[in-house]
């Protein structure tokens, strides 16, 4: 578009700050994670001992690692159902359902996104507290018994409870993305369908859903990536417990690196984590380009 | 919302409209009740909190907010302001420069560089925590504001560049051609011609990054171990561990910490929604 000559020099100057930051904080660390995953190290700044792939072998027999991985998957699947499912319902109601107060509903439902997940974890930790949290009181009004240690204190319920809190925060995000997709569908499509007698739920199934197929897939991917990155919520609500019932990959890596003095092992798990992130990243990129 | 959606597609029976409103009101209450409970709880005494957690405060105790503010929330708040402010400013400026070079200038490996930036977008900070910790430690940046600002800026860049890239890509070049004929180099074309006309995307990028950086927790936990430099999310959790028995104080801290972004969101919600909905594109 513009002539050549000094352009590469200008380009280098414009790109320089970015190259420094990406190089220093993304590419250098990326290489180090791979190299350090082959070493055993107990303290930061302490000696490193080369052990080949032993860290990766350890993962195979580490029950907690697999539990964390499975917990991430449960997190992903349930979050898709709750966040994308409910997000679709809410977006449909705001798009072609109700006519009044739409901005009010949208504002309220989206609001939790701008609150920090740490604060939301604290808030729901208090709400669900078995002794003084109001949830127990509210539930007893309806005659629903609550476990004595609270939902987050029960190994079988803690993960599901955490997933619900996550959905409480993020469903509004999905709703807004899906709503933006729905609003870009031309109104003529609906009018033509109405001529043929197709309206209501059938218009939603035959027109809305197919038109925003890509947006729905993007939402599913965002939810899955988010579910594999979950840390704050688990750390604040349950700290991985009770026992290791709610341990996830990010919290287990964190614990190994900064609590268990198992730095090499943490790096090896980071390599696995990177692999998972890259797979979903590539799928997402393919989707965006379509 | 736009006028094009004013026709309803569902049958317009009164009963159905009521049911849909009922559903939306119910869901809104599910969001609003816990948030109100936080503010109400902050106004109660600890005794009221224990005896009846649901009841409204009998004698609103606004002093709790002042105590929480003086008791550390002030420091957390200003740390968050400094860290978020500098990070977002860096991200906006650096990503605009990079996206401009990538869309307007000819240089070797241009296409490859853009692909690398897309690759960076897929790499989560979670997976490189140990090396980042070691790097910051080597440079003496642990427990400093710069120790958070620089990595936040780095990890905020890829998505911001991708957003600006597609904006600049579709941006008409006639004005720049004219400026070029008048002897303006690439820097002046960027600052004086392109950026003043790019406010929507700059605002979107700023908001998106502000929300994620203001609330970031994992890296902050590792980098900021001494209380004087901690940001709000860390400070709130620290508050819980310190004041496990002072519920109103904790709830007041949560309220103060969440209020700035909530207020900004309600005031500028159009921009917030546009910025966040951009994730779906």
């Amino acid at each position: 578009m513009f002539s050549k000559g000094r352009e590469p020099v200008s380009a280098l100057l414009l790109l320089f700050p970015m190259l420094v930051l990406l190089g220093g904080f993304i590419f250098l660390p990326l290489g180090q994670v791979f190299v350090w995953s082959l070493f055993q190290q107990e303290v930061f700044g302490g000696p490193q001992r080369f052990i080949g792939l032993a860290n990766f072998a350890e993962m195979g027999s580490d029950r907690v690692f697999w539990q964390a991985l499975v917990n991430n998957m449960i997190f992903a699947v349930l979050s898709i159902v709750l966040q994308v499912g409910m997000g679709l319902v809410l977006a449909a109601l705001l798009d072609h359902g109700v006519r009044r107060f739409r901005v009010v509903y949208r504002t309220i439902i989206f609001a939790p996104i701008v609150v920090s997940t740490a604060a939301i974890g604290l808030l729901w930790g208090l709400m669900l507290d078995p002794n003084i949290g109001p949830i127990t009181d509210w539930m007893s009004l309806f005659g629903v018994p609550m476990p004595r240690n609270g939902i987050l204190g029960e190994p079988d319920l803690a993960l599901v409870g955490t997933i619900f809190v996550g959905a409480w925060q993020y469903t509004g995000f999905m709703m807004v993305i899906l709503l933006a997709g729905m609003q870009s569908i031309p109104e003529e499509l609906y009018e033509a369908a109405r001529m043929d007698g197709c309206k209501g739920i059938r218009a939603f199934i035959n027109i809305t859903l197919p038109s925003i197929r890509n947006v729905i897939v993007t939402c599913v991917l965002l939810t899955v990536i988010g579910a594999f990155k979950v840390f704050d919520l688990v750390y604040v609500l349950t700290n991985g417990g009770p026992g290791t019932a709610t341990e996830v990959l990010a919290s287990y890596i964190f614990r190994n690196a900064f609590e268990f003095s198992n730095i090499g092992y943490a790096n090896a798990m980071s390599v696995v984590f990177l692999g998972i992130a890259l797979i979903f990243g590539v799928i997402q990129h393919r989707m965006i380009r379509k | 919302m736009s006028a094009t959606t004013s026709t309803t597609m569902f049958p317009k029976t009164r009963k159905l409209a009521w049911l849909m409103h009922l559903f939306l009101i119910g869901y809104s209450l599910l969001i609003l009740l816990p948030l109100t409970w936080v503010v109400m709880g902050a106004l109660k005494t600890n005794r009221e909190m224990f005896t009846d957690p649901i009841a409204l405060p009998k004698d609103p105790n606004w002093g709790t907010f002042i105590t929480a503010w003086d008791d550390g929330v002030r420091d957390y708040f200003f740390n968050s302001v400094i860290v978020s402010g500098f990070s977002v400013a860096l991200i906006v400026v650096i990503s605009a420069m990079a996206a401009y070079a990538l869309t307007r200038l000819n240089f070797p490996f241009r296409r490859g560089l853009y692909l690398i930036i897309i690759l960076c977008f897929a790499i989560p900070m979670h997976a490189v925590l140990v090396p980042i910790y070691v790097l910051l430690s080597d440079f003496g940046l642990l427990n400093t504001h710069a120790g958070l600002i620089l990595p936040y800026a780095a990890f905020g860049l890829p998505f911001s560049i991708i957003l600006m890239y597609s904006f600049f890509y579709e941006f008409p070049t006639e004005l720049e051609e004219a400026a070029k004929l008048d002897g303006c180099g690439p820097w002046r074309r960027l600052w004086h011609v392109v950026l003043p006309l790019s406010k929507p995307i700059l605002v979107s990028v700023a908001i998106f990054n502000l929300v994620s950086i203001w609330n970031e927790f994992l890296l902050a936990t590792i980098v900021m171990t001494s209380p004087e430099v901690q940001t709000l999310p860390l400070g709130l959790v620290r508050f819980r561990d310190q004041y496990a028995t002072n519920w109103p104080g904790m709830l007041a801290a949560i309220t103060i910490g969440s209020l700035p972004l909530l207020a900004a969101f309600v005031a500028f919600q159009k921009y917030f929604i546009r910025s966040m909905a951009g994730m779906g594109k």
Side-chain angles (χ1 to χ4, degrees):
Chain A
M1 175 186 329
F2 297 113
S3 67
K4 293 193 174 180
R6 291 209 318 275
E7 283 199 353
V9 180
S10 305
L12 186 65
L13 288 173
L14 283 165
L15 292 166
F16 186 70
M18 173 202 80
L19 292 172
V20 171
L21 283 175
L22 294 190
F25 288 99
I26 299 184
F27 279 98
L28 175 69
L30 204 56
Q32 285 169 326
V33 159
F34 277 94
V35 176
W36 294 352
S37 68
L38 306 173
F39 289 81
Q40 187 191 44
Q41 188 183 9
E42 272 153 23
V43 260
F44 284 100
Q48 286 182 315
R49 192 166 63 88
F50 182 78
I51 53 169
L53 295 173
N55 283 325
F56 291 92
E58 190 184 335
M59 264 178 251
S61 57
D62 181 354
R63 196 188 53 81
V64 183
F65 168 75
W66 290 103
Q67 186 179 16
L69 209 56
V70 169
N71 282 347
N72 278 117
M73 289 176 197
I74 296 173
F75 217 107
V77 172
L78 256 182
S79 297
I80 291 170
V81 175
L82 290 172
Q83 296 179 27
V84 185
M86 185 54 99
L88 263 174
V89 171
L90 292 168
L93 288 181
L94 293 186
D95 181 42
H96 272 80
V98 299
R99 251 194 260 194
R100 299 170 68 186
F101 309 122
R102 287 191 294 199
V103 175
V104 178
Y105 292 133
R106 189 185 63 176
T107 306
I108 293 172
I109 297 170
F110 186 79
I113 307 298
V114 300
V115 179
S116 74
T117 306
I120 289 193
L122 288 175
L123 143 65
W124 276 97
L126 291 176
M127 295 271 298
L128 292 167
D129 187 283
N131 298 317
I132 25 185
I135 296 280
T136 314
D137 284 27
W138 284 335
M139 285 298 154
S140 67
L141 288 180
F142 299 103
V144 181
M146 293 292 269
R148 201 155 48 86
N149 297 326
I151 287 179
L152 301 174
E154 290 291 326
D156 296 335
L157 295 175
L159 185 68
V160 177
T162 309
I163 294 171
F164 265 88
V165 176
W168 183 86
Q169 179 174 24
Y170 278 100
T171 299
F173 183 37
M174 292 301 140
M175 174 193 80
V176 161
I177 296 175
L178 292 162
L179 185 58
M182 289 180 189
Q183 290 185 332
S184 62
I185 302 171
E187 195 56 36
E188 293 83 58
L189 271 182
Y190 290 113
E191 269 158 33
R194 200 161 20 227
M195 300 284 177
D196 298 335
C198 172
K199 52 188 182 176
I201 299 287
R202 282 180 53 215
F204 177 74
I205 292 168
N206 293 322
I207 300 168
T208 314
L209 283 184
S211 307
I212 58 164
R213 207 184 118 256
N214 280 356
V215 183
I216 295 174
V217 176
T218 304
C219 282
V220 168
L221 281 168
L222 282 174
T223 310
V224 173
I225 294 171
F228 273 92
K229 292 208 289 200
V230 65
F231 173 82
D232 312 8
L233 206 55
V234 168
Y235 185 84
V236 176
L237 270 181
T238 62
N239 200 15
T244 53
T246 54
E247 201 76 80
V248 286
L249 218 40
S251 64
Y252 195 49
I253 292 175
F254 172 87
R255 221 178 291 285
N256 272 282
F258 298 98
E259 285 173 13
F260 297 163
S261 304
N262 219 345
I263 299 168
Y265 189 48
N267 279 312
M269 285 190 290
S270 296
V271 170
V272 174
F273 189 73
L274 266 173
I276 296 170
L278 283 177
I279 291 170
F280 289 118
V282 168
I283 301 175
Q284 191 187 24
H285 177 57
R286 291 244 160 130
M287 284 303 309
I288 292 170
R289 293 189 63 188
K290 261 188 198 166
Chain B
M1 263 175 261
S2 65
T4 52
T5 56
S6 60
T7 48
T8 50
M9 118 184 154
F10 296 127
K12 285 174 216 159
T13 62
R14 281 233 158 141
K15 223 185 216 168
L16 196 57
W18 269 107
L19 275 176
M20 290 193 282
H21 274 293
L22 209 63
F23 184 83
L24 286 166
I25 289 170
Y27 195 88
S28 302
L29 283 179
L30 181 72
I31 303 293
L32 279 181
L33 280 181
L35 295 178
T36 349
W37 181 77
V38 173
V39 184
M40 288 300 138
L43 295 172
K44 288 185 190 177
T45 61
N46 218 13
R47 222 186 113 80
E48 278 180 87
M49 197 75 206
F50 273 93
T51 47
D52 195 353
I54 310 181
L56 293 174
K58 287 194 192 75
D59 179 21
N61 181 13
W62 296 96
T64 319
F65 286 99
I66 297 164
T67 320
W69 177 256
D70 289 335
D71 230 10
V73 175
R74 182 185 40 218
D75 293 347
Y76 304 142
F77 183 85
F78 286 114
N79 287 326
S80 274
V81 170
I82 292 169
V83 168
S84 311
F86 277 99
S87 311
V88 171
L90 278 178
I91 291 170
V92 170
V93 172
I94 295 176
S95 61
M97 286 162 59
Y100 187 76
L102 287 164
T103 51
R104 294 293 191 274
L105 301 177
N106 278 311
F107 58 91
F109 311 117
R110 188 172 68 165
R111 182 81 199 136
L113 188 61
Y114 186 58
L115 286 177
I116 288 175
I117 290 166
I118 291 173
L119 176 78
C120 285
F121 177 46
I123 295 168
M125 197 189 272
H126 305 54
V128 286
L129 283 178
V130 168
I132 287 185
Y133 178 83
V134 171
L135 182 73
L136 293 174
S137 158
D138 287 348
F139 280 89
L141 290 174
L142 294 179
N143 286 312
T144 66
H145 291 131
L148 278 187
I149 292 169
L150 293 174
Y152 283 170
F155 280 89
L157 279 176
F159 186 58
S160 306
I161 293 173
I162 293 170
L163 283 180
M164 294 226 205
Y165 183 94
S166 46
F167 184 86
F168 288 166
Y169 199 80
E170 301 186 353
F171 193 83
T173 55
E174 285 83 18
L175 270 174
E176 289 167 71
E177 305 270 11
K180 188 170 192 200
L181 289 179
D182 289 343
C184 284
W187 288 85
R188 291 184 60 196
R189 293 202 296 271
L190 172 61
W191 295 120
H192 296 294
V193 181
V194 178
L195 284 189
L197 296 167
S198 308
K199 277 184 196 131
I201 193 70
L202 297 180
V203 170
S204 275
V205 166
I207 289 177
F208 183 80
N209 284 295
L210 176 67
V211 172
S212 53
I213 291 171
W214 183 271
N215 297 327
E216 203 282 336
F217 186 75
L218 175 55
L219 187 69
T221 308
I222 293 162
V223 177
M224 303 303 216
T225 45
S226 46
E228 319 84 70
V229 284
Q230 286 181 340
T231 49
L232 274 167
L234 291 190
L236 296 182
V237 174
R238 193 188 155 74
F239 226 81
R240 171 184 69 179
D241 301 340
Q242 227 166 11
Y243 297 89
T245 50
N246 176 8
W247 285 41
M250 252 178 68
L251 293 172
I254 296 178
T255 309
I256 301 174
S258 312
L259 213 55
L261 278 199
L262 269 177
F265 165 60
V266 173
F268 305 105
Q269 62 138 323
K270 197 177 82 186
Y271 300 97
F272 271 74
I273 301 264
R274 193 179 56 199
S275 171
M276 304 300 266
M279 278 297 280
K281 295 216 176 105

